[in-house]
Amino acid sequence: MFSGTLQTEMSSRQYQGRPQDSRKVSGELFSLTYGALVAQLVRDYENDADINTNLDKMGYNIGVRLIEDFLARTQQERCHDLKETADVLAKVGFKTFLGIVPIVANWNQKGDEFSLILDQNPLTDFVELPEDHPNLLYSNVICGVIRGALEMVQLEVEVRFIQDTLKGDDTTEIRVKFIKKLEDAVPAGDD
């Protein structure tokens, strides 16, 4: 499904004996590996909703673990409000792990919901969605990562795709909505 598109895009690149930027090669390998994962999910599940749910769950589990690496690498202190959280997420988190900096935009009146506008999505390099999967949220793993990481810093959020260039939209937009602040949980017996 995806492999034909992936293979076509990669074969059109001519490596002319020049040294490659290791980040670019690593990013391309990541994109291709992720594509293989999504292709396997498409084979394993009958409908797009199940695939999307699995991508979100995988992302959530990644986010829960990734936040520790993020905090260790960046020495980032606790954010004071959602606007600061959104800026750190876009300017530091996305930059650190995906090499892009989305634009934080479209805040609602209450200030509890915003969009991340991605000019570029490294997960979608070399990808075209198959016509028989119109509801597939190919990059839904990103929503899960955001949700999992923010939950580990006591923020419950809802994260979803609003627009996606893979579906013909002009831009890729991820919507993040603050639900509630979670209380620090004390493990049983540690009180």
Side-chain angles (χ1 to χ4, degrees), residues 106-172:
N106 304 330
W107 284 91
N108 68 352
Q109 281 289 78
K110 290 173 57 179
D112 67 350
E113 193 170 351
F114 62 92
S115 292
L116 296 167
I117 311 293
L118 286 69
D119 291 333
Q120 168 189 7
N121 180 351
L123 294 182
T124 61
D125 291 345
F126 322 117
V127 175
E128 289 180 17
L129 290 179
E131 290 180 17
D132 58 337
H133 287 278
N135 298 313
L136 177 63
L137 300 172
Y138 182 84
S139 300
N140 209 38
V141 71
I142 294 173
C143 294
V145 169
I146 293 169
R147 193 170 54 84
L150 291 180
E151 188 172 300
M152 292 299 100
V153 293
Q154 281 70 49
L155 295 176
E156 183 178 334
V157 295
E158 177 185 294
V159 187
R160 68 191 193 294
F161 273 90
I162 301 295
Q163 297 183 72
D164 191 345
T165 55
L166 282 178
K167 295 181 179 248
D169 296 320
D170 292 333
T171 188
T172 298

Side-chain angles (χ1 to χ4, degrees), residues 3-190:
S3 60
T5 303
L6 296 172
Q7 192 172 28
T8 302
E9 294 287 333
M10 283 304 288
S11 63
S12 68
R13 291 178 179 240
Q14 296 298 318
Y15 294 102
Q16 301 170 342
R18 295 188 292 226
Q20 294 286 321
D21 177 12
S22 64
R23 285 187 191 174
K24 182 154 182 68
V25 171
S26 179
E28 289 175 352
L29 179 62
F30 176 68
S31 295
L32 293 170
T33 304
Y34 181 73
L37 170 76
V38 175
Q40 184 62 49
L41 288 173
V42 167
R43 286 189 292 275
D44 290 348
Y45 293 94
E46 293 183 19
N47 64 58
D48 292 348
D50 290 341
I51 298 166
N52 296 339
T53 298
N54 275 282
L55 288 170
D56 181 74
K57 284 180 186 176
M58 287 178 192
Y60 175 84
N61 289 328
I62 292 167
V64 164
R65 288 162 182 79
L66 202 60
I67 189 69
E68 291 179 29
D69 184 49
F70 171 78
L71 295 172
R73 282 185 189 198
T74 65
Q75 300 297 308
Q76 179 68 42
E77 295 189 16
R78 184 175 289 275
C79 296
H80 296 90
D81 58 25
L82 190 61
K83 288 191 188 255
E84 185 181 353
T85 301
D87 283 340
V88 169
L89 176 63
K91 295 175 182 168
V92 185
F94 271 82
K95 179 71 173 166
T96 301
F97 295 108
L98 289 177
I100 61 170
V101 179
I103 298 165
V104 178
N106 304 330
W107 284 91
N108 68 352
Q109 281 289 78
K110 290 173 57 179
D112 67 350
E113 193 170 351
F114 62 92
S115 292
L116 296 167
I117 311 293
L118 286 69
D119 291 333
Q120 168 189 7
N121 180 351
L123 294 182
T124 61
D125 291 345
F126 322 117
V127 175
E128 289 180 17
L129 290 179
E131 290 180 17
D132 58 337
H133 287 278
N135 298 313
L136 177 63
L137 300 172
Y138 182 84
S139 300
N140 209 38
V141 71
I142 294 173
C143 294
V145 169
I146 293 169
R147 193 170 54 84
L150 291 180
E151 188 172 300
M152 292 299 100
V153 293
Q154 281 70 49
L155 295 176
E156 183 178 334
V157 295
E158 177 185 294
V159 187
R160 68 191 193 294
F161 273 90
I162 301 295
Q163 297 183 72
D164 191 345
T165 55
L166 282 178
K167 295 181 179 248
D169 296 320
D170 292 333
T171 188
T172 298
E173 179 179 354
I174 299 172
R175 194 78 180 152
V176 180
K177 178 179 176 143
F178 172 77
I179 304 298
K180 67 180 179 181
K181 180 149 176 51
L182 302 170
E183 298 299 320
D184 287 328
V186 177
D190 286 354

